[in-house]
Amino acid sequence: MKKIWAVLLCLILILSIGSQPAFADGGDGNMDGGGGDMGGGTSGSYWNNGDDGVRVTVIRVSSNTAATTPVDFSNKSHTAAHFGKISKLQYRSGKALSPSGAQYVSIAPAHTLPEIISGDGNSNIEAIKKYFCSEYAAMLVADATGISYQTLVNGEYKLLIEPIAYFHFNGTMYAMTATEAALYDQLANGGLRSKMVSLTHKNLPLSIFLEYPDLGFPAWDGSTSSKVSNSEIINKLGLGIVKYKEETPVQGDINAPDVEYRVNTDVITSVTLRTNRDLTPDNPASVTFHIDGRTYTVNNVVIPAGDSQVVWVKWHTPSTPTTITIDVSVSGAYTAEDTLKAKIEDLNGKIPPDPLASDTNSGYTVPILPSNNQKTTANWGVWDCYWEPDWVWCSDGTDENGNEIGHWVDEGQWEFEYTGYSASLSGTMNLMPDDVVPTANGKTMKSGYGVKTEVSTILSTSAPSSHYTYTQTAFSTFPEFQYQTYLRVLEQTTGGRNAKFRFQPNEYSITNRSVHFLPVWFPDGKRFTVYTQVWDTWTPNGMLSVNLSDYVSIQGSLFDDWYTSRE
């Protein structure tokens, strides 16, 4: 099942009454919410209703990057352990969860925030929307971040809103966003979830989520009242967006693919399995993937009632471009992703043309680097189930001698244990003049000659090899083509977790060198910067990718060397 959410515009006017603020026309709120009964806590691990707030980050629309340091707002002051003012975008880009030694600071608005996290299972999303889509909230954020109000609402910025919970865990008060709670639980091997699941893995992450995709995060289409996993929180929950320019979200092509792969590549296809009952070794679930004429079945999936787990299959794509439909059938549980459309593409065939000595481009200006989304970390996990015996003596009376007789009965139960995994991808790029450039000096060279590159990547994970693929694809784009139209797929020289790449042999090179030739007209005194995207490190949580760049400085052209040699 796929849900298409309409945009709910927060163009709401509330008249000022007494000391209440005037919430005039504001932004467009991409957020929804849910939750459930909170349950109870323990003496050292508990949450009090009203101990909540939000973290707000101003986002630059043109690049979907943070324009300010995040700011926390709460109706109360809290003395709490925390991890600094880090946004969900930063964690997605690979920022590690790290305790902060600084005192925790939040701003208490003059007009109180609405209830962010519900303690009774009733979503308060409409009140949250009204507040943060208001003119008052925009002025509040502008004042806190140092951006002028007029600049903030001119359509060039939007707000990333993340819910915060202030709670006690093992006797210590913490301030955490939903994402931080999930990352902390991974480090604690499920310890936080075991004591605070109703807060950290239900009502906190489900208090705000997206109605339609934004910032590279998907809309949430799962349950709004059940417990969720760490990976679901990190990748899909605990965020809302406020835009200050009315716009209709792109509906998209109904035939658009759900996922894109490259030809002749090891990939992973995954779905999220959910259940309303305990799935144990006595009654496990199974998932079957039907892909390109082949069938892949994952058996013995165990999940506790009300929870979920990602289930996946690793396979190899065809050697030619195509579009295939992946059908998923489930036994014993359910998934919303029963059909996936996969586009298999070939990045070759977009090789730049041969630059000629006669080429000119008098009106050229050096473009800025692209700001494509990248995903450098992934999180997922697997449930295990084991029997916890509880032997109870059942008396059958006494024998003729008065001795008790009976038998032992195992009244134990199935216990579940969640193992979280993560993977991260990093890389470096080194662009240098080709070895045969006669007048090169370090990273300085003349236009018209060739450059070489080495891209080095590091895949870090403790997961079993069945959970991931190695890095397989890297390709570069170039400034003379505005980083568009043409690209070079790089040649892999080293595989495994430390994959390395370089330019493929250039078909226009007389000696078949692995280079890219610069246009002779490239402006003197400028940097020639190559932009490289590293793709196809697949995990159950999707593809890891990293964007890299490096440059050489241009001083003069090969004509200078030619004229010198003629003199």
Side-chain angles (χ1 to χ4, degrees):
M1 295 179 59
K2 297 181 180 178
K3 297 180 181 178
I4 301 176
W5 294 91
V7 185
L8 300 180
L9 299 180
C10 294
L11 302 178
I12 298 169
L13 180 64
I14 299 180
L15 297 179
S16 176
I17 301 177
S19 63
Q20 295 299 310
F23 289 84
D25 287 7
D28 166 8
N30 174 13
M31 58 182 82
D32 206 340
D37 179 56
M38 191 62 83
T42 65
S43 59
S45 300
Y46 60 90
W47 174 80
N48 293 321
N49 202 45
D51 282 345
D52 55 24
V54 294
R55 179 163 298 164
V56 180
T57 309
V58 179
I59 304 296
R60 188 173 289 104
V61 171
S62 61
S63 61
N64 276 343
T65 57
T68 66
T69 299
V71 179
D72 290 1
F73 296 93
S74 177
N75 294 327
K76 304 177 183 178
S77 61
H78 302 274
T79 300
H82 65 107
F83 304 99
K85 302 298 174 60
I86 309 298
S87 75
K88 194 175 185 77
L89 285 177
Q90 292 171 279
Y91 287 122
R92 183 179 66 181
S93 295
K95 176 70 175 178
L97 191 71
S98 178
S100 172
Q103 180 180 355
Y104 179 75
V105 176
S106 63
I107 296 174
H111 301 287
T112 58
L113 298 173
E115 178 184 73
I116 304 298
I117 304 171
S118 171
D120 58 10
N122 295 316
S123 170
N124 199 37
I125 192 61
E126 292 306 318
I128 296 172
K129 279 187 177 182
K130 288 179 183 180
Y131 191 97
F132 287 102
C133 293
S134 70
E135 182 181 46
Y136 169 76
M139 296 176 69
L140 177 70
V141 172
D143 182 63
T145 58
I147 294 181
S148 74
Y149 169 77
Q150 294 300 330
T151 299
L152 179 63
V153 300
N154 68 4
E156 296 180 6
Y157 299 92
K158 54 188 173 184
L159 303 183
L160 168 61
I161 312 291
E162 299 180 63
I164 299 174
Y166 304 94
F167 60 93
H168 287 82
F169 175 60
N170 288 341
T172 299
M173 168 73 94
Y174 286 91
M176 296 190 197
T177 64
T179 301
E180 289 171 336
L183 292 171
Y184 184 91
D185 186 61
Q186 289 182 332
L187 296 176
N189 295 319
L192 180 60
R193 181 189 180 97
S194 68
K195 294 185 178 181
M196 303 293 294
V197 62
S198 294
L199 172 68
T200 60
H201 289 73
K202 186 169 64 175
N203 285 15
L204 170 59
L206 289 171
S207 63
I208 306 176
F209 54 80
L210 296 181
E211 289 186 296
Y212 54 87
D214 204 335
L215 292 178
F217 294 100
W220 175 245
D221 61 357
S223 170
T224 59
S225 59
S226 300
K227 292 172 290 186
V228 291
S229 67
N230 288 325
S231 61
E232 288 176 316
I233 297 170
I234 293 167
N235 297 294
K236 300 179 181 180
L237 292 168
L239 77 157
I241 304 294
V242 174
K243 298 180 180 179
Y244 292 109
K245 183 178 182 181
E246 184 176 337
E247 61 177 286
T248 301
V250 177
Q251 297 299 319
D253 182 357
I254 194 170
N255 294 314
D258 298 297
V259 63
E260 293 185 356
Y261 300 126
R262 262 54 60 194
V263 297
N264 200 32
T265 303
D266 291 329
V267 299
I268 287 176
T269 298
S270 60
V271 297
T272 299
L273 207 61
R274 305 180 190 280
T275 178
N276 294 321
R277 61 184 179 87
D278 283 345
L279 301 179
T280 69
D282 287 340
N283 61 337
S286 65
V287 181
T288 300
F289 298 83
H290 305 275
I291 305 174
D292 199 27
R294 300 188 64 181
T295 298
Y296 308 83
T297 300
V298 181
N299 291 312
N300 301 317
V301 180
V302 294
I303 308 173
D307 226 304
S308 63
Q309 180 192 300
V310 65
V311 179
W312 68 92
V313 61
K314 184 190 291 190
W315 59 287
H316 196 78
T317 61
S319 58
T320 56
T322 186
T323 298
I324 62 176
T325 298
I326 300 174
D327 293 315
V328 182
S329 56
V330 177
S331 173
Y334 63 94
T335 180
E337 306 148 306
D338 55 1
T339 301
L340 300 171
K341 182 174 290 186
K343 179 182 178 182
I344 316 296
E345 62 178 349
D346 189 349
L347 295 179
N348 288 293
K350 301 178 181 179
I351 299 174
D354 185 20
L356 303 176
S358 58
D359 290 344
T360 60
N361 194 348
S362 58
Y364 174 83
T365 57
V366 178
I368 62 172
L369 278 174
S371 57
N372 301 93
N373 289 331
Q374 61 180 5
K375 179 176 179 175
T376 59
T377 60
N379 299 272
W380 68 97
V382 175
W383 285 103
D384 191 14
C385 188
Y386 61 93
W387 183 259
E388 186 68 38
D390 181 13
W391 291 100
V392 177
W393 174 258
C394 294
S395 176
D396 295 329
T398 59
D399 59 16
E400 62 273 13
N401 299 318
N403 298 317
E404 183 181 17
I405 59 174
H407 61 281
W408 289 96
V409 176
D410 186 358
E411 296 184 358
Q413 63 182 2
W414 290 107
E415 298 289 344
F416 292 88
E417 185 175 53
Y418 186 82
T419 302
Y421 297 99
S422 64
S424 63
L425 180 67
S426 59
T428 59
M429 177 179 175
N430 184 27
L431 188 74
M432 294 292 291
D434 187 25
D435 296 336
V436 300
V437 177
T439 54
N441 181 16
K443 291 181 74 69
T444 300
M445 62 180 292
K446 297 178 179 180
S447 63
Y449 289 108
V451 289
K452 63 179 182 178
T453 190
E454 181 178 74
V455 172
S456 301
T457 65
I458 300 175
L459 171 62
S460 301
T461 182
S462 60
S465 60
S466 59
H467 289 218
Y468 62 88
T469 71
Y470 295 128
T471 306
Q472 301 162 84
T473 302
F475 62 93
S476 298
T477 53
F478 305 94
E480 67 266 42
F481 306 111
Q482 303 295 312
Y483 300 108
Q484 300 174 5
T485 309
Y486 301 105
L487 60 85
R488 290 192 184 278
V489 177
L490 275 59
E491 175 184 51
Q492 189 174 75
T493 58
T494 302
R497 293 195 182 191
N498 300 307
K500 294 184 178 182
F501 302 83
R502 68 179 182 184
F503 290 135
Q504 295 187 38
N506 193 313
E507 62 184 272
Y508 301 115
S509 169
I510 297 176
T511 56
N512 207 36
R513 300 190 65 78
S514 299
V515 297
H516 173 78
F517 290 114
L518 279 63
V520 71
W521 49 259
F522 196 84
D524 193 16
K526 299 294 184 179
R527 288 181 173 182
F528 184 90
T529 304
V530 176
Y531 180 73
T532 298
Q533 297 182 72
V534 180
W535 286 3
D536 290 327
T537 305
W538 287 93
T539 75
N541 182 226
M543 183 185 77
L544 294 180
S545 62
V546 62
N547 303 329
L548 306 169
S549 64
D550 198 15
Y551 69 91
V552 292
S553 297
I554 304 303
Q555 290 185 5
S557 76
L558 64 79
F559 287 137
D560 301 334
D561 294 342
W562 185 78
Y563 289 132
T564 299
S565 66
R566 298 269 294 178
E567 293 176 353

